[in-house]
């Protein structure tokens, strides 16, 4: 099912160049510096239960499309918050995917799954209602073998490093277990403080109390709260090997308040009397506080703004977060980031990686900002734009102003473990195709393009994330 020239240009001259460039990068190890895989998979190294639990139940890319066509999430085995009944027969769940396979035509999800089916499990026929049970049985039989355990797949996928993402309230027990197991696979964490820096995050007050208990600091005061965050950042570095933080705010708003003003907002947040406008300012202040902490502890800072989280309240109430109901919004950066950049933008020892779901900001805001401020880099095409066309648009709009070296290579940002090789392969092919066009148009020499291809596939991510 996988054509060797997939995603390469149809023009024969460019296609030949792309083939040569891809030969330089297709075999490189995978650096996955940001993602959401479950560290318990690698700590426990237990077999994945069945094809449905691997490819459907945890993957919002898959079940959001099915839900959009009227397929109930309960019928796909997605767990309910209240523990209510959902489909538990993995074969029935798998058949739902197979019978609706046509819905994924033209989507990156189809490319990722086809790649995983063929390269990981040896499937050579298209998924459909007719082939559903055969393919289920083939994958299920593979999953019972030791060479398909999580650690074995990690090694087979040629993953050099994989970063997961955890809240400051996480004990990192799985990362500790991985480290103490003697296994050589490198799985690290990233510090995601949203539950304790966003006053509108559900359970914020209780989360801050737990933060205090874990850190041994008095989080009832502004000074103690900041000390607790510093404590947990250091814990994440020492126990989980963290080299980065991650911030999923609704906007890119930042602030640089006086200590007294910040403390007043914090006190209102703890009392539950903070307004929506004040909560926005507080989140912005916390981005600046996190940047100042990064200057001290060296953690790379990632900002992922612009998602309207939990847009569907009915789905959120029944199933919780990350269930395919997050929607991109327009995002402004130039004014929003100015308080932060006035404070730390010229710091050469700080790295802040900016992401966006608003493609109109690429050439107008992000590329000019990263093309000027030493502290800024532009993250790769993200989420809804982690696709062949999204990656092409990204390169076309970012490169002329920011170049290649104010970007950070690729990261897959996925919960779907078996899609990691597919996602990196897509990125490498799209980048080789883009570079091939520059070579064919005599805008870049082929030896330079080959060097850039390696940097985009491997070197830039290691450098940006201090790996």
């Amino acid at each position: 099912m996988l054509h060797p020239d997939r995603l390469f240009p149809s023009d024969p001259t460019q296609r030949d160049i792309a083939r040569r460039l891809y030969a330089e990068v297709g075999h490189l190890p995978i650096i996955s510096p940001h993602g959401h895989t479950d560290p318990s998979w690698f700590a426990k190294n237990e077999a994945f239960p069945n094809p449905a639990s691997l490819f459907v139940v945890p993957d919002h890319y898959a079940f959001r499309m099915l839900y959009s066509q009227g397929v109930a999430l309960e019928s796909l085995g997605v767990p309910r918050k209240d523990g209510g009944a959902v489909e538990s027969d993995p074969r029935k769940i798998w058949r739902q995917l197979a019978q609706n396979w046509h819905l994924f035509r033209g989507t990156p999800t189809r490319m990722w799954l086809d790649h995983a089916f063929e390269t990981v499990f040896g499937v050579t026929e298209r998924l459909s209602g007719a082939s559903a049970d055969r393919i289920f049985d083939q994958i299920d039989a593979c999953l019972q073998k030791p060479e398909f355990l999580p650690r074995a797949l990690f090694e087979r996928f040629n993953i050099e490093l994989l970063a997961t993402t955890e809240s400051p309230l996480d004990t990192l027990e799985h990362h500790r277990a991985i480290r103490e197991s003697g296994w050589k696979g490198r799985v690290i964490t990233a510090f995601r403080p949203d539950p304790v820096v966003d006053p509108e995050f559900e359970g914020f007050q209780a989360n801050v109390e737990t933060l205090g208990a874990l850190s041994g600091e008095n989080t009832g005061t502004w000074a103690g709260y900041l000390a607790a965050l510093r404590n947990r950042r250091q814990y994440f570095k020492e126990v989980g090997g963290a080299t980065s933080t991650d911030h999923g705010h609704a906007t890119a708003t930042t602030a640089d308040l006086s200590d007294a003003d910040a403390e007043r907002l914090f006190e209102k947040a703890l009392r539950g009397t903070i307004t929506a406008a004040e909560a926005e300012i507080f989140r912005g202040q916390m981005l600046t506080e996190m940047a100042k902490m990064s200057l001290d502890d060296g953690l790379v800072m990632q900002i992922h703004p612009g998602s309207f989280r939990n847009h569907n309240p009915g789905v959120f109430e029944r199933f919780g977060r990350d269930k395919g109901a997050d929607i991109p919004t327009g995002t402004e950066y130039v004014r929003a980031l100015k308080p932060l950049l006035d404070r730390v933008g010229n710091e050469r020892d700080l790295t802040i990686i900016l992401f966006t779901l608003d493609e109109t900001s690429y050439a107008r805001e992000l590329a000019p900002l990263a093309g000027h401020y030493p502290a800024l880099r532009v993250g790769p095409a993200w989420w809804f734009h982690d696709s062949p066309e999204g990656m092409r648009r990204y390169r076309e709009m970012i490169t002329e102003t920011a170049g290649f070296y104010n970007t950070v290579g690729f990261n897959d940002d996925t919960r779907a473990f078996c899609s990691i090789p597919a996602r990196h392969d897509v990125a490498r092919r799209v980048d080789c195709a883009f570079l091939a066009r520059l070579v064919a148009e005599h805008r870049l020499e082929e030896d330079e393009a080959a060097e850039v291809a390696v940097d985009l596939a491997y070197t830039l991510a290691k450098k940006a994330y201090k790996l």
Side-chain angles (χ1 to χ4, degrees):
M1 291 186 293
L2 300 178
H3 195 284
D5 286 336
R6 61 192 181 279
L7 300 175
F8 290 165
S10 56
D11 174 77
T13 298
Q14 293 185 31
R15 184 168 62 241
D16 286 345
I17 298 170
R19 286 169 177 162
R20 293 195 294 272
L21 295 176
Y22 180 75
E24 300 292 324
V25 300
H27 64 285
L28 290 175
I30 288 173
I31 301 294
S32 180
H34 174 66
H36 300 277
T37 52
D38 186 343
S40 71
W41 295 339
F42 311 106
K44 298 176 181 178
N45 200 35
E46 297 171 348
F48 293 106
N50 56 70
S53 68
L54 184 59
F55 286 111
V56 184
V57 178
D59 190 355
H60 61 77
Y61 285 88
F63 62 65
R64 78 185 305 271
M65 178 66 82
L66 298 173
Y67 183 78
S68 78
Q69 291 286 306
V71 178
L73 293 181
E74 288 90 345
S75 73
L76 298 171
V78 178
R80 291 176 58 108
K81 287 173 68 174
D82 63 3
V86 300
E87 181 58 66
S88 59
D89 185 336
R91 192 176 294 271
K92 289 182 179 179
I93 296 170
W94 182 260
R95 287 171 181 165
Q96 290 264 38
L97 176 68
Q99 291 161 3
N100 290 283
W101 194 234
H102 63 283
L103 300 178
F104 296 93
R105 290 170 181 164
T107 67
T109 301
R110 168 69 180 269
M111 294 186 64
W112 301 329
L113 289 174
D114 278 347
H115 187 283
F117 293 164
E118 182 168 332
T119 64
V120 181
F121 297 100
V123 174
T124 55
E125 62 176 323
R126 185 185 304 155
L127 186 63
S128 66
S131 66
D133 283 355
R134 289 193 299 275
I135 294 176
F136 181 96
D137 290 338
Q138 182 172 342
I139 296 175
D140 195 51
C142 289
L143 293 176
Q144 312 311 311
K145 301 176 182 177
E147 57 265 37
F148 289 88
L149 291 173
R151 293 182 183 180
L153 288 176
F154 184 103
E155 294 164 2
R156 178 177 163 190
F157 292 166
N158 197 21
I159 297 174
E160 182 175 314
L161 174 132
L162 178 68
T164 65
T165 304
E166 276 72 44
S167 150
L169 309 181
D170 197 293
T171 63
L172 302 184
E173 61 184 284
H174 299 306
H175 291 84
R176 187 187 298 275
I178 292 168
R179 187 184 65 187
E180 294 175 352
S181 71
W183 179 52
K184 300 303 182 183
R186 191 176 176 198
V187 179
I188 65 175
T189 187
F191 184 80
R192 177 77 173 248
D194 297 5
V196 296
V197 300
D198 179 1
E200 296 180 314
F201 200 102
E202 59 270 20
F204 173 76
Q205 290 86 359
N207 294 341
V208 172
E209 287 185 15
T210 303
L211 174 68
L214 288 170
S215 63
E217 300 286 351
N218 177 12
T219 52
T221 70
W222 173 243
Y225 170 68
L226 294 180
L229 288 166
R230 292 189 193 95
N231 176 291
R232 295 305 287 170
R233 289 167 66 102
Q234 186 62 30
Y235 181 83
F236 268 54
K237 288 179 65 177
E238 293 175 357
V239 175
T243 67
S244 68
T245 69
D246 183 33
H247 308 271
H249 294 196
T251 73
T253 294
T254 63
D256 192 12
L257 305 176
S258 67
D259 284 343
D261 288 341
E263 186 167 12
R264 278 192 288 271
L265 284 183
F266 177 63
E267 290 170 353
K268 293 186 74 173
L270 289 185
R271 291 196 303 267
T273 61
I274 195 167
T275 67
E278 290 170 331
E280 175 74 347
I281 295 171
F282 184 79
R283 286 189 292 268
Q285 178 65 25
M286 291 313 299
L287 285 179
T288 303
E289 296 295 342
M290 292 291 106
K292 290 189 291 185
M293 291 182 194
S294 284
L295 278 173
D296 293 332
D297 62 26
L299 292 180
V300 174
M301 189 172 180
Q302 302 174 93
I303 304 178
H304 285 87
S307 176
F308 191 127
R309 304 279 178 174
N310 311 307
H311 194 272
N312 186 330
V315 167
F316 176 68
E317 289 166 8
R318 295 199 309 277
F319 299 97
R321 290 177 168 265
D322 304 318
K323 296 300 181 288
D326 299 335
I327 308 298
T329 64
T331 306
E332 194 275 330
Y333 293 85
V334 173
R335 294 174 182 82
L337 290 174
K338 195 168 191 315
L340 173 68
L341 295 175
D342 286 350
R343 174 60 76 100
V344 299
N346 296 308
E347 298 288 346
R348 290 174 292 180
D349 294 330
L350 174 66
T351 300
I352 302 172
I353 303 173
L354 301 175
F355 294 79
T356 193
L357 293 175
D358 180 1
E359 291 183 304
T360 68
S361 69
Y362 281 154
R364 185 184 66 244
E365 300 182 68
L366 293 184
L369 285 167
H372 171 72
Y373 283 99
L376 293 185
R377 297 291 182 268
V378 184
W382 169 45
W383 201 342
F384 293 89
H385 309 305
D386 181 7
S387 64
E389 299 305 328
M391 293 174 186
R392 291 182 185 115
R393 291 190 295 267
Y394 171 89
R395 289 289 173 218
E396 289 170 354
M397 289 191 278
I398 290 289
T399 305
E400 289 184 333
T401 300
F404 293 110
Y405 293 91
N406 282 312
T407 67
V408 299
F410 179 70
N411 61 59
D412 49 76
D413 194 11
T414 187
R415 290 172 171 78
F417 180 45
C418 287
S419 77
I420 290 176
R423 290 167 185 255
H424 285 261
D425 188 65
V426 168
R428 292 173 183 188
R429 288 175 178 274
V430 171
D431 282 340
C432 287
F434 179 78
L435 291 165
R437 193 185 86 192
L438 298 185
V439 173
E441 293 175 354
H442 307 291
R443 297 162 64 188
L444 199 64
E445 297 296 328
E446 188 168 333
D447 65 316
E448 294 179 292
E451 184 176 320
V452 172
V454 171
D455 289 338
L456 295 179
Y458 182 76
T459 314
L460 283 178
K462 291 192 70 172
K463 181 179 178 181
Y465 286 87
K466 301 181 179 179
L467 303 171

